[in-house]
Amino acid sequence: MTAASAKTPADEPRRLVMHSMPVLRTSISLSIVLVFGALLLWYGLGAPIRSLFTAPQIATLIFFITVMVGLMLGVGLSRIVVNANGLTVRNGIRTHLFEWSRIEAVAFGGGDPWAYLQLRPTTEHPDGRSHLMLGIQRAEGEIADEKVQRLNDIVDEHRSAGAAPVE
């Protein structure tokens, strides 16, 4: 890399969003199949059998279908947002902000189903910690490897720009 082509953290886009399209498509498809399958079965039972169900039983069925759809879409909508402050990782309904000074690297082993954010050691966790990132999944194939490499490049650039380790 020449001096003219060297990038700094300031050269990175102000905001970069990464998510897994195959997983999102799968979660949407499975949610649609679940809802329409449940409706098809419900109407397929016929009025005499449907009338035997009580309101609490119907509410329980609707509750569990909603929970299943929510879980599937939560995984499908997981993402990683890169900005000047660090990485924001949304897994399902939980969102975590990791400042650049806390990040060691992004790991994606050959058998891992998703990427992991490796955090720097602290006094509380002397061996460091890792945090899963559902926004990059093995189902993406080579694209996932490219995303991990890009994130590691960005982490390295921020480290060389002077992000001090957390104590």
Side-chain angles (χ1 to χ4, degrees):
M1 200 184 279
T2 65
S5 66
K7 287 186 174 181
T8 65
D11 295 331
E12 277 300 316
R14 293 178 81 64
R15 186 169 189 260
L16 172 68
V17 179
M18 296 181 178
H19 59 276
S20 177
M21 283 306 295
V23 174
L24 177 59
R25 283 192 296 270
T26 301
S27 68
I28 290 172
S29 300
L30 290 175
S31 295
I32 290 169
V33 167
L34 177 63
V35 169
F36 282 115
L39 289 172
L40 182 66
L41 287 171
W42 177 253
Y43 286 106
L45 288 174
I49 295 177
R50 280 197 314 265
S51 66
L52 298 174
F53 285 88
T54 64
Q57 290 171 327
I58 295 169
T60 301
L61 176 65
I62 292 171
F63 171 77
F64 281 110
I65 290 172
T66 303
V67 167
M68 294 299 293
V69 168
L71 288 172
M72 287 186 283
L73 292 178
V75 171
L77 292 172
S78 295
R79 67 182 184 178
I80 300 151
V81 179
V82 179
N83 59 36
N85 299 327
L87 293 178
T88 302
V89 178
R90 182 176 74 189
N91 293 327
I93 60 172
R94 304 246 357 231
T95 302
H96 300 276
L97 171 63
F98 298 97
E99 296 173 355
W100 292 115
S101 61
R102 295 181 58 202
I103 300 171
E104 184 69 32
V106 178
F108 196 41
D112 291 340
W114 43 71
Y116 288 90
L117 188 60
Q118 300 294 326
L119 303 176
R120 291 184 176 178
T122 63
T123 53
E124 293 177 20
H125 303 281
D127 294 333
R129 292 177 40 204
S130 63
H131 186 82
L132 70 97
M133 298 191 303
L134 294 175
I136 300 175
Q137 298 207 8
R138 181 67 57 203
E140 297 176 89
E142 290 181 13
I143 293 171
D145 293 325
E146 292 168 10
K147 287 179 181 179
V148 168
Q149 183 59 50
R150 183 163 184 199
L151 283 177
N152 274 319
D153 290 345
I154 294 169
V155 168
D156 289 343
E157 289 168 6
H158 280 275
R159 184 179 305 121
S160 65
V166 175
E167 289 300 321

